[in-house]
Amino acid sequence: MHPAPSVIIFTVLSGLGFGYLTWLGLGFPAVTGWTAFFCFAIAFATAVGGLVSASFHLGNPQRALKAFTQWKTSWLSREAWISVLALIVMGLYGFCAVFLDMLVAPLGLLGAVLSIATVFSTAMIYAQLKTVPRWNHWLTPAHMVSVSLAGGAVLALQWRAALILLVIAGALQALHWILGDRRFAERGHSAETATGLGSIGSVRMFEPPHTGTNYLLKEMVHKVGRKHAQKLRVIGFIALILVPLVVVLAAPANPFTAAVATLSYLVGAFASRWLFFAEAEHVVGLYYDGGAKAS
Amino acid sequence: MTQLPAQTQKKLGLVIDLDTCVGCHACVIACKGWNTENYGAPLSDMDAYGGDPVGSFLNRIHSFEVQPEKGPAQTIHFPKSCLHCEDAPCVTVCPTGASYKRSEDGIVLVNEDACIGCGLCAWACPYGARELDQAEGVMKKCTLCVDRIYNENLEEVDRVPACVRTCPAGARHFGDFADPQSNVSQLVRERGGIDLMPEQGTRPVNKYLPPRPKDTMKELGADAADMSPVTGNPKGFLGWLDKALEAL
Amino acid sequence: MAHTEPFLETSPPVSDEIRKTTCYMCACRCGINVHLKDGKVAYIEGNRDHPVNKGVLCAKGSSGIMQVTAPSRLRAPLKRTGPRGSGAFEEISWEEALQIATGWMEPLRKSAPEKLAFFTGRDQSQSFTSFWAQNFGTPNYAAHGGFCSVNMATAGIYTMGGAFWEFGQPDWERTRLFMIFGVAEDHDSNPIKMGLGKLKGNGGKVIGVNPIRSGYNAIADEWVGITPGTDGLFILSLVHELLKSGKIDLEYLTRFTNAPCLINEDPASEEHGLLLRDADGKPIVIDRASGKPMAFDAKGVRPDLAAQFEQDGHTHRTVFQHLAERYLSDDYSPEAVADKCGVPAGRIRAIAAELARVALEEAFELDQAWTDFRGERHEKMVGRPVSFHAMRGISAHSNGFQTCRALHVLQILLGTVEVPGGFRFKPPYPKPVEAHPTPHCHSKPDCPLDGPHLGFVRGPDDLALKEDGSPARIDKAFTWENPMSAHGLMHMVISNAHAGDPYKIDTLFLYMANMAWNSSMNTKGVMDMLTDKDENGDYVIPRIIYSDAYSSEMVAYADLILPDTTYLERHDCISLLDRPICEADGAADAIRWPVIEPDRDVRGFQSVLIDLGARLGLPGFVNEDGSAKYEDYADYIVNHERRPGIGPLAGFRGDGGQTGRGGVNPDQMDRYIENGGFFIEHVPDEAAFYKPWNEAYQDWAVGLGFYDKPQPYLFQLYVEPLRRFQLAAEGHGKRQPPDHLRAQIREKLDPLPIWYPPLEDDHVSETDYPVHALTQRPMAMYHSWGSQNAWLRQIHGQNPLYVSSKIWKENGFRDGDWARVTSVHGEITVPVAHMAALNDDTVWTWNAIGKRKGAWALDEDAPEATRGFLLNHLIHELLPARGDGLRWSNSDPITGQAAWFDLRVRIEKADRQAESQPVFKGQNSPVGKGPDVVRQKVRP
Ligand SMILES: Nc1nc2c(c(=O)[nH]1)N[C@H]1C(S)=C(S)[C@@H](COP(=O)(O)OP(=O)(O)OC[C@H]3O[C@@H](n4cnc5c(=O)[nH]c(N)nc54)[C@H](O)[C@@H]3O)O[C@H]1N2
Ligand SMILES: Nc1nc2c(c(=O)[nH]1)N[C@H]1C(S)=C(S)[C@@H](COP(=O)(O)OP(=O)(O)OC[C@H]3O[C@@H](n4cnc5c(=O)[nH]c(N)nc54)[C@H](O)[C@@H]3O)O[C@H]1N2
Ligand code: SF4
Ligand code: SF4
Ligand code: SF4
Ligand code: SF4
Ligand code: SF4
Ligand SMILES: [Mo]
């Protein structure tokens, strides 16, 4: 899939923001007043910034409200609802914390659940797609939620939780890569099934339907070099998991160390998310130059 | 709406005959022409006369080479447009309800007024049947020429999709798959029509007729009875000729 | 939430008005319905009532709207301001343009009309443009047939009185086995596709003979991936097998062909090899019942195929015996030819057996009585459901004429021409050679030519030679080098004019041919010749006038441009006088008419010719008082009469009810428009088959004015005119060939089909150049001008060189690689791609995708100009020099057909390039550039 910056920014930032909001909602740390103001400002800025970035991906963002109508079937619609609810609830919770010096625990709990549900529904947008075997797996939400919570824990200065979550996120990330590499083949999709011509013999593309490009090729038949991907995986893993882990293990929890760990986390998360898209083979590639097969 | 209708009254769709398609792209352009002037926004072409032209098309012709175990490779021209799936994943992922499947005839459509251009439906389609129009920012897909097939301003013979009407080889057939007696149902039965990527579970309505067996002619040796020489006749060819002429 | 759906208007208005006219994007000339909204073209679809396409339309036709809105359309007459080739022009008025043109032409007409060479490319108005040229008086006129498919046309006319091409078609309804040679698309493109669909629907089988398996060959049931240039040998081997096993239609041969005609066998005779004729010049046959010689068409005669006859001391035996002797030879056995053809012997035999089985065992009868030309009544029509079609794959080789001949002989031996289930002619064909004119070339100052330029020579007397034996025509058509060049040699015009060989010309007047690019061999050489200057600094070809509708490569090389309209903006006439739109079941012709008005200062070229004709005072274009005879082309179409009662259009003549023959009808054009832009007269059932010999057909044809009296004739297995040239080469007769051509004429102009290797094989080493390089037409592109079409260019915006698995492996190619392709003449470096369904020793690419930078109003970085390429750079119009000081044209030695597909190359892996090589400096665009975004919609 085409690693569109807007979508990468969206998933990374909103993941981090809602992860942070989850912790704040749970009362870790239990901040009020000016401190709360800063905490919530950061959380909302990332979460909302991510959501706004997502709208850059839309052809007609002015109609975005319509995206709330199909919550019964559409994960994207659900995500719209849940994220807005999460923001409202956490907004109320934050308002009470900042201006009333009051931590309304049930509201916080609800907000936390909604925040993490937002990340889950974002993940499900991808995980539901049978057309992208690498994504179409429980690991996708598990991985995204764990990364989100881990990042949130770092920002929330929850070193112990961060430690555990980073380990989990690291494991899930590795597993997502390893299993993901096999998903396409496991599903049995091939040029033969795509064309139904397998009963005659082996199938390869002779001529594409157009010599130039098209939306599908730009959007879905992105190919990334193996070596390039390996390098990025290493960088991503180090920055996303290992560096924050070292910080958490070796340094005291304070805003400065959290900022260092978060910056590294963000670099890693962008790399990991870039790969999440770039390495995802869409089955439509089978109709083109072996798209999926070759990468 | 994004929910799929429990059932559709008709199942309209296309049968595409891979044994007859010569890969001429006529259907591609007839489709582009009709759907540019009709349903929804025009199908735009970006950088139309430049270095990297990209336009929206609802129907495209791929070409494959198939290598059987024995015999020469075969070239197969392979038209592809929306298959109007019964379990259309493109519909259920749509957050706005812009994508929907008509309960009347099963046609899968995009209501462009509601489409936010998120692209998710195109991601959900295994067949590459949807393209986001770059100028309009809305999703484009085969409409099964819904504005032709019921159009009372057209003569009855012309109430078929533009691609079907134009196909010079007659490789495209339009009809109701819910009716076992329809032309398309019969073709599918007789010729063993197949689904594309059945493992995706989309249950496509459109069916493909596989190419008939090719290169089946058996080689004949010099002693083949079919071609035994008349020149072997004692009087040679002339002798044979004389006899044959007598018999005329 | 219940399932709800938005409101949808399923009956939107389709358009305000439909205007019916004729498509122009190829010579198929389908009928189209042009839907207009607010007076603008909104949508184009096929016309269901039209005899050619019956409603279907190809990709080019359906995208006509993009042709009419193309940014590359010329806007006004242009006068060159920069050097030739630069594309620097100024727009001028029509009056100025016409004055310049007349100023150049008038003195030539008064002094030396041959100094105007008028060549008209893929002209759909040849009967008109040739009429103009004839009245101007220049011998130098032809259209594009010489570089296109004259082998096919000529072999067909000489053998059967009609050709494949678009002049005939299989009986698609009834044929069971269809064999197609060397066709990618053809002129009859929609009908072939419709036919293939019908045939397959009926359970019929298709055998495709083509080195490349794509398009029609992709859907063929059996693919014969033959080695290029060897079809003749393959076909003659089929003939060998059929003869050897006696599986031929003797009855048919006896009655309808010259198989029983008698050949003079005396080497000492002046008539050696000619047919024995009676006092009236009619070929003689021996009646099998009486053993007596009789005229071939004598009442009741049953010609004897096995006859031998002595007269005046000369022995005569039948054509059939000569034919059998030749092809029964083991030289033609499948085993002998298999390696050369790249087709296993067992497969050749199997195909022969299958042809014989279907032709003979699946024969059937139609319950239709008819009377033959000998007056004999037949109660039934015997059908043989085998049919053939072929095109440039066999035609565009230097052995193409003989190969096409061989194929016709095969068809005839099986008795499958003009019979139910077989190959059928479209009126006004069949028409024997005798019904065609001979070429005319005698020009005098201020005087029309002595007759039509092009024709069919019957022997050396008809050659277009001057008194001194030198060529009369600039293209050297109808000379000893290529005596039967019935369509001229447009591909030699620039080269000969540049060389001043046979003489110099002054003004080159071209219409509708991209000669500076894809329609020329040796493209770079041609560009150099067009820009070459003499010692005085003047262009070697002094003046070039060109009519195009678009900003093509050729535009840049002309001094004066006469901009044409597009096809929806003008009158046109697709006439029975040249290449009509007939079907086997009907005579039909058609018009174009301005369904929209041009929004630019352009004029239909034919109307411009009419204006020029009047300004020059050409007979035929002015009245006695010197005033213009026709207002414009539309006026000419309606009012011109070629012979009394016969004009460009056959329908609605006289009072509107007469067909074929009839006086001028001033309402004719309106009647055509009312009728959907065409006219068709159906062939009566009794006349539907056996047309050359069918009394009912002959009478019908005379009635329509195809000819003035019945002209039944025999199919010519043995083509006597060829023998007349051989006789000359052997030293007989007054007109003698130059010595260096004697051997060629003796060998190649054999009256019975032969096979010889493509001439390039003689001139270049097969080890140095082991690979055959071909082009194919993409179905969705028309030569160079699809690239200006925003829709089509996305389908074919660049062209890789497709290479066979063998060559792919040998060179270790991988996806994305490039190759250097070298011929004896030149070198290109281009992207490669792999194709498995391809003859081992062959590479190919799509034709005419590559573009010169700046042409067609495309951006300079257009893929057509950066990655697209032409094979033409590798092909020369002359064969490599042999050290004899002579210029040997790379053409068929019989017809002059350009031998595009003889090309041999060598392939080597090359470094990845930024652009396909060679790269040429860009040309200025006299029309600017196109818009970035196209959103075609008349009414949202
Ligand atoms: N390598 C290779 N070269 C080939 C061939 C091949 O097979 N291989 N095929 C050869 C053959 S058979 C042919 S016929 C030639 C074709 O070659 P061309 O006849 O040169 O073909 P086009 O590129 O169509 O060029 C025709 C010109 O007519 C112009 N034109 C289009 N419409 C109009 C109109 O309405 N009015 C006027 N006045 N002009 C118009 C176009 O803009 C274009 O410049 O190519 C030959 N060249
Ligand atoms: N879409 C479209 N239609 C066109 C045109 C166009 O440009 N585009 N051009 C028109 C014109 S001007 C013409 S002349 C016709 C030409 O119509 P075609 O004759 O169909 O034209 P080509 O594309 O030259 O096809 C030649 C075919 O012969 C094959 N071939 C080459 N060498 C050999 C050989 O030695 N033996 C055999 N058996 N096959 C061989 C090639 O592989 C190719 O398939 O098409 C007309 N129709
Ligand atoms: S083919 Fe694709 S777009 Fe069409 S219904 Fe099926 S999933 Fe949806
Ligand atoms: S692009 Fe439009 S139709 Fe597709 S899912 Fe998004 S809103 Fe729905
Ligand atoms: S049915 Fe209509 S919209 Fe669909 S591919 Fe055919 S022409 Fe295009
Ligand atoms: S129009 Fe018909 S033959 Fe041509 S590509 Fe489309 S389906 Fe195939
Ligand atoms: S075959 Fe195509 S381009 Fe040629 S006349 Fe017909 S519709 Fe036009
Ligand atoms: Mo041609």
Side-chain angles (χ1 to χ4, degrees), chain C residues 23 25-26 28-30 57-58 60-61 189-190:
Chain C
C23 184
M25 253 67 76
C26 86
C28 194
R29 294 152 304 178
C30 301
L57 212 60
C58 81
K60 296 159 285 151
S189 31
N190 277 333

Side-chain angles (χ1 to χ4, degrees), chain C residues 25-27 58 60 122 144 147-149 165 180-189 209-212 214 216-217 224 226-231 390-394 396-397 774-784 844 847 901:
Chain C
M25 253 67 76
C26 86
C58 81
K60 296 159 285 151
R122 270 163 329 86
H144 79 297
F147 59 66
C148 182
S149 218
W165 214 341
I180 182 163
F181 288 76
V183 188
E185 170 70 335
D186 206 346
H187 297 290
D188 214 11
S189 31
V209 184
N210 200 308
I212 309 164
S214 64
Y216 306 152
N217 296 282
V224 181
I226 196 161
T227 300
T230 65
D231 299 72
M391 235 329 243
R392 293 184 63 255
I394 62 171
H397 286 285
L774 305 175
T775 57
Q776 295 203 99
R777 276 140 179 73
M779 291 180 181
M781 278 280 167
Y782 202 47
H783 296 287
S784 58
W844 71 278
N847 187 41
F901 297 154

Side-chain angles (χ1 to χ4, degrees), chain A:
Chain A
M1 304 292 291
H2 169 63
S6 58
V7 178
I8 296 176
I9 294 171
F10 155 56
T11 57
V12 169
L13 290 190
S14 75
L16 180 62
F18 283 106
Y20 189 23
L21 282 175
T22 309
W23 289 106
L24 290 173
L26 292 173
F28 303 103
V31 282
T32 54
W34 276 111
T35 328
F37 178 80
F38 281 114
C39 293
F40 279 97
I42 290 172
F44 272 91
T46 32
V48 175
L51 292 175
V52 169
S53 162
S55 72
F56 287 114
H57 190 63
L58 300 182
N60 278 291
Q62 78 283 6
R63 299 183 192 136
L65 282 181
K66 293 212 187 320
F68 289 87
T69 59
Q70 304 303 316
W71 51 272
K72 272 194 163 180
T73 52
S74 165
W75 278 107
L76 183 48
S77 194
R78 288 171 193 156
E79 190 222 31
W81 273 111
I82 300 172
S83 62
V84 168
L85 287 177
L87 291 174
I88 291 171
V89 172
M90 284 309 289
L92 272 178
Y93 178 76
F95 182 86
C96 296
V98 174
F99 299 105
L100 309 176
D101 260 351
M102 208 167 83
L103 290 173
V104 190
L107 205 57
L109 189 65
L110 179 64
V113 170
L114 286 170
S115 295
I116 207 62
T118 302
V119 178
F120 177 77
S121 55
T122 305
M124 282 311 291
I125 295 173
Y126 305 103
Q128 69 175 331
L129 294 173
K130 277 196 194 163
T131 48
V132 185
R134 186 185 284 275
W135 295 347
N136 188 222
H137 197 273
W138 63 266
L139 266 172
T140 299
H143 161 63
M144 279 202 183
V145 168
S146 68
V147 169
S148 155
L149 285 178
V154 170
L155 273 182
L157 302 177
Q158 302 303 307
W159 255 214
R160 185 119 43 92
L163 180 73
I164 298 167
L165 282 165
L166 282 170
V167 171
I168 294 176
L172 290 174
Q173 170 72 83
L175 211 56
H176 197 257
W177 278 332
I178 294 166
L179 294 187
D181 285 348
R182 302 187 206 142
R183 286 290 285 169
F184 203 97
E186 277 167 15
R187 282 292 177 87
H189 302 308
S190 63
E192 286 74 20
T193 66
T195 58
L197 297 170
S199 56
I200 303 174
S202 63
V203 178
R204 62 176 275 270
M205 185 186 82
F206 158 56
E207 223 183 14
H210 40 87
T211 54
T213 180
N214 71 355
Y215 169 74
L216 299 171
L217 287 170
K218 289 193 176 204
E219 187 77 1
M220 290 165 227
V221 194
H222 187 266
K223 276 193 218 169
V224 49
R226 259 193 94 73
K227 270 210 202 118
H228 188 57
Q230 288 304 347
K231 223 187 285 169
L232 264 182
R233 280 186 183 182
V234 172
I235 295 171
F237 198 81
I238 292 173
L240 176 69
I241 308 291
L242 295 184
V243 174
L245 210 53
V246 169
V247 173
V248 169
L249 278 172
N254 62 41
F256 176 74
T257 52
V260 170
T262 305
L263 276 181
S264 174
Y265 165 96
L266 279 175
V267 169
F270 282 122
S272 152
R273 212 45 59 82
W274 189 88
L275 281 170
F276 176 79
F277 289 100
E279 289 192 299
E281 309 95 335
H282 194 286
V283 293
V284 76
L286 295 170
Y287 292 104
Y288 286 87
D289 201 2
K293 243 197 284 186
S295 63

Side-chain angles (χ1 to χ4, degrees), chain B residues 10 16 25 43 67 99 180 188 194 197 199 218 222 243 247:
Chain B
K10 285 196 246 169
I16 290 166
H25 297 264
L43 297 165
Q67 181 63 60
S99 273
V188 168
I194 52 167
M197 256 193 267
E199 69 275 15
K218 292 219 170 49
K243 264 204 3 232

Side-chain angles (χ1 to χ4, degrees), chain B residues 36-38 40 45 47-48 50 55 65 73 75 103 136 151-152 158 166 215-217 220 226 230 246, chain C residues 4-5 11-12 48 57 200 213 221-222 244 247 288 346 793-794 835-836 859 932 934-938:
Chain B
T36 275
E37 188 56 37
N38 293 287
D45 302 287
D47 201 16
E65 252 182 9
T75 313
S103 51
E136 191 70 16
N151 196 327
E152 280 157 19
D158 283 337
T166 214
D215 306 306
T216 55
M217 196 182 261
L220 291 184
D226 282 8
V230 295
E246 280 315 307
Chain C
T4 57
E5 293 173 9
S11 280
R48 280 198 191 272
L57 212 60
K200 288 213 152 210
R213 191 176 210 177
D221 299 277
E222 300 285 333
K244 201 172 85 170
K247 302 208 162 167
R288 194 157 167 94
R793 71 184 288 259
Q794 296 181 54
M835 184 187 199
D859 290 352
D932 274 349
V934 168
R935 298 181 77 212
Q936 171 61 41
K937 191 164 199 151
V938 175

Side-chain angles (χ1 to χ4, degrees), chain B residues 14 27-28 30-32 34-35 58-60 80-82 84 141-149 160-164 172 174:
Chain B
L14 303 176
C27 51
V28 174
C31 171
K32 175 103 175 172
W34 176 263
N35 288 290
L58 312 184
N59 175 30
R60 308 236 190 205
K80 194 161 57 57
S81 52
C82 172
H84 299 280
K141 69 173 295 297
C142 160
T143 62
L144 207 64
C145 289
V146 67
D147 49 0
R148 289 186 63 93
I149 57 179
V160 293
C163 57
V164 172
R172 306 174 74 89
F174 165 72

Side-chain angles (χ1 to χ4, degrees), chain C residues 131-152:
Chain C
F131 179 73
W132 189 94
Q134 210 178 304
N135 280 298
F136 187 91
T138 178
N140 292 322
Y141 165 86
H144 79 297
F147 59 66
C148 182
S149 218
V150 63
N151 272 338
M152 197 85 228

